[in-house]
Amino acid sequence: HVKGKPTRCRSRWCGCLGALSSLCLVFRTDTHMLDLVVYGATGFTGRLVAAYLRRSAPSGLRWALAGRDAARLEAVAAEIEAQPGLAAGVGAAPVSVLGGCDADEASAARIAGETRAVLSTAGPFSKYSDALVGACAAGGVSYVDINGEIPWVARVIERHDEAARASGALIVPNCGFDSVPSDLCALRATRLLADGTGSACVSVQGVMHMTGAMSGGTIETGLEMERLYPGELRQPFRLGGASRLARGGEDPSDADPSEERYDGTLRRWLAPFGMARINTRVVRRSAGELDAYVNVDASRFRYREEQLSPAGGRAAAKMAKNAAIPPEKLRALVEAGRLPKPGGGPSAEKRAASAFTALALARAADGSAAACGLSGGDPGYDETAKMVAEAALCLVAEERAELPAAARGGSGVLTPAAALGGVLERRLGGAGLVWEDGYPLGSLPGAPDEEAEAAAVEAEAVAKEAW
């Protein structure tokens, strides 16, 4: 379809003018504008997103699947229609497929000309979604994705924020497991601290506990980022957040953790978390550039994120070693078949056995603190699909004036917390993820390590003085 021009539609899934034949003549007008296009719908996560929307989208939502191969898109449409558990009158089927859409500017303009919003799962995003986000920003079309490519996001901000603000487009990258739990947990924890004590937040500590497996697409994206932007990946404020800091942006404490450590407050061993160099950049932008959180002292704010090691110090040391595997070794593991290639991912059975909990602990300078947690199922795929789908539904099924983005002009390139905030919190809770305010720190998996306790408490006292 091309907006405003007669064109021949070759999709038997097309709902235009009620036609169901394999060839129909369609005239697109604004009254037939799609609400949402899912780009990259034949990929592993794209299929999960499509299945989720078929089950959970509001009735009457006009959405479509887009990608290069129309036949594969139609196969996805048939697959999600045949999924078990569909209830009559619940959810919405895609009204069309848009095949022949590649990563070029012409395809991007075609997609942006058809819809109010785009959800992209096509990564590496710097390669397959770059033209699309540019077309959306220029054309007033809102956009969400699941990317974890911080150097690319920085370029999206630099190239397209001004155009998006002018056109009215709301561009919200990082709407999957990277970085919705981190961003929204930080938002919620600072709100709890402000409501409970009135004290300004000076730091948030993020802790992830998860089980699950990486997909080939996730691994390929990480390798591509290492190849293209090795230096930028290690810049703690690549998305901003340092301009208002009294300490500047070169403090060693802002660097990504590289070793295991025992946390005297949590009384658990922690290890470096592979996704922290994505999530920390998003949180720092939310706090320091966009004022997305509640009562934060941006001149002193710190954010650190690590992974829980329930099995103790030796396991934490092994996790730290795994987090430091060099890119060339990862590439060799993929080529040897020991890690999945792009397009593949864990089975439904493995995903069903996976879960996550994200914890945020907000602290004030006077020692007061507040914690919250977000828990769900398989983090990398099932819940990522849910998160980004619900983020897209915030754009097309909620009143735009009710979104936090409205306080920031309603458009531009924003983080999930700054753009969607509490509206996305509510939707995720309604979709089955579990929020827990006042998260009981003693209930974390694992057990205290008495040998490590005294040294950790002393080290944290020194750190608190420095903060």
Side-chain angles (χ1 to χ4, degrees), residues 125-127 129-131 133-134 137-138 151-165 229 238 413:
F125 290 80
S126 59
K127 182 176 182 179
S129 295
D130 192 59
V133 74
W152 179 69
V153 174
R155 285 160 174 75
V156 169
I157 295 167
E158 293 159 4
R159 296 169 182 166
H160 303 305
D161 182 62
E162 185 176 342
R165 292 183 184 280
Y229 315 111
R238 186 62 184 93
V413 184

Side-chain angles (χ1 to χ4, degrees), residues 57-110:
S59 177
L61 184 80
R62 291 181 53 80
W63 67 285
L65 306 172
R68 284 174 293 197
D69 190 324
R72 291 180 64 197
L73 291 167
E74 292 189 3
V76 171
E79 174 186 305
I80 65 174
E81 196 63 32
Q83 65 182 303
L86 288 181
V90 178
V95 300
S96 63
V97 301
L98 304 177
C101 296
D102 214 322
D104 59 274
E105 292 184 0
S107 295
R110 175 189 173 201

Side-chain angles (χ1 to χ4, degrees), residues 10 24 57 93 134 212 246 250 261 283 286 306 331-332 348 362 408 415 463:
R10 299 183 182 275
C24 62
E250 301 297 330
R261 71 181 184 92
V283 168
S286 285
E306 292 158 293
R331 175 69 70 188
R408 300 170 178 85
T415 60

